[in-house]
Structures are given as C-alpha cells and as structure tokens.
Amino acid sequence: RQSWNLYYQHYDNEKYTTLYKSDLTGNNRTEVDKSIINPHCVYNGTIYFNGTAGDHYLYGLNTNTDAINTVWTGNIWNPIISGNYVYYMDLSNHYGLSRYSLLTNEVEILTHDRVDFFNLAGNMIYYQTAGKDNQALKRMHLDGSNNEIVREGIHENINVTSRYVYFNEFSFDIPVYHTPVNGGPVTIFQPES
C-alpha cells in the first residue's frame, strides 16, 4: 500500500519558514529541510525549487527519500516544469522568462520583458510585466512566439483552469477577469448563480 505525504511550508517565529511533511491526516509531521523551499513545482515525484541561500540553482527533492540534489546551476527563480522544460524567471536576464531543457541542457530566452510573476496555461505562458512603463498582463506560446498583451495595467493572481485564465487588478479583489486559455477576449467573470 502506497503512503501519501503532504509537503508544505511551515512558519514560526524562531525557525521562520522551513519545509515540513505530514501524512494526509495531518499526523507524523516532520521537518524535511531548514531551507526556504517552495513546494509548488512537482513533477514525477520530485519537488523542484530554486535555491534561496547562497545561490539560485535548480534543486530537486526526491519525495521517496527526501534527498535533495542539484539539477542545474542556473540563476533562476520560480521554476515551473512542463514536459521536458523548466520555465523560470531568469535572474541573469534581468528577470525575463527563459526555459531550460532537461534533455539537452540548453537555455532559450523567451522574453526580455522584466517579469513580476507568471503561470503556464495549456500551450501558453501568462505573465505580468514589471517596471514603470508599459505594464501589462501578457501571453505567449511556450516557445516564446506570438507574444501579445492580454490587458494593460498591473495584475495579480494568475490562476489557470483547463479552459480559462483568471486574474484581477493589483490590490483589487474584484472584479475578477478571465480569458480563454489559448487566447480570446478578456471579460469580467460572472459566476453562475
């Protein structure tokens, strides 16, 4: 019988943020590592994360053994894996978006736009540009092609379903906007009653 564990960030005033795991009932809690590890990127039983102390390499935590190894010595932030690629904010490219091939070890720069955050949606990347001028929510294909503005302004909370991408203006919870994953108009989300 396979056992399942929940990995999560635990915060307290003495250790600050560390990585813990527990079984699905919330019992058997143990500290996995004292580093600040964001467990949001999981692929084939490995939690991928960027270093936060001393370097920004790509690391992998094997969830069968809880062993951590260096996957790649890139200068990355916020990795997301899709297929054989790691998409990330490229700290060596002024926080632009790049992708790293797990098969060929090659890096491709996808955009030089400075990025605040991003998310993958199907065959698209949605990202918010940063800076003083030309702030916008943008989208492009996974290879960086067909880059376009989705909506001008500063946005946050890029959430993805199989059909739509949802987001809101920075500091405003409502209205919530949505657009079809693979492109289309932006409309205000109206929940069904």
Side-chain angles (χ1 to χ4, degrees):
R1 180 177 164 206
Q2 185 176 5
S3 65
W4 297 89
N5 289 308
L6 174 67
Y7 287 79
Y8 61 95
Q9 290 178 311
H10 172 76
Y11 177 84
D12 66 41
N13 289 333
E14 292 177 15
K15 294 182 181 180
Y16 302 105
T17 303
T18 58
L19 185 69
Y20 271 70
K21 75 175 180 180
S22 72
D23 62 25
L24 294 182
T25 64
N27 296 316
N28 302 315
R29 293 186 308 153
T30 57
E31 185 179 63
V32 177
D33 197 83
K34 296 184 183 311
S35 302
I36 299 173
I37 295 174
N38 184 341
H40 81 274
C41 181
V42 181
Y43 184 73
N44 285 339
T46 299
I47 297 172
Y48 291 91
F49 60 96
N50 56 267
T52 56
D55 63 59
H56 297 118
Y57 296 168
L58 177 65
Y59 292 94
L61 184 149
N62 182 318
T63 57
N64 292 320
T65 64
D66 289 338
I68 296 174
N69 66 337
T70 304
V71 176
W72 176 53
T73 58
N75 193 10
I76 75 165
W77 196 258
N78 193 30
I80 299 176
I81 293 185
S82 180
N84 295 313
Y85 288 100
V86 179
Y87 295 83
Y88 60 94
M89 293 167 60
D90 189 340
L91 304 185
S92 298
N93 181 29
H94 307 289
Y95 290 84
L97 283 177
S98 295
R99 70 179 182 177
Y100 168 75
S101 171
L102 293 168
L103 296 178
T104 65
N105 298 318
E106 294 177 351
V107 171
E108 296 175 69
I109 295 174
L110 303 176
T111 181
H112 291 286
D113 289 335
R114 185 177 171 91
V115 174
D116 271 343
F117 51 85
F118 72 102
N119 205 345
L120 303 185
N123 294 320
M124 305 294 281
I125 303 170
Y126 280 76
Y127 67 96
Q128 175 63 48
T129 61
K132 293 181 180 178
D133 301 319
N134 303 321
Q135 294 171 331
L137 180 67
K138 291 186 167 185
R139 69 179 150 224
M140 62 183 163
H141 288 112
L142 293 179
D143 63 2
S145 64
N146 298 319
N147 192 315
E148 65 180 350
I149 293 174
V150 175
R151 189 166 190 275
E152 298 280 349
I154 305 172
H155 303 86
E156 62 183 352
N157 300 320
I158 303 173
N159 294 289
V160 176
T161 68
S162 61
R163 295 179 54 206
Y164 291 99
V165 174
Y166 297 84
F167 57 93
N168 54 280
E169 291 181 3
F170 181 73
S171 295
F172 294 95
D173 293 336
I174 53 174
V176 173
Y177 298 94
H178 73 311
T179 183
V181 165
N182 291 319
V186 173
T187 56
I188 294 176
F189 172 63
Q190 300 290 337
E192 295 180 16
S193 50

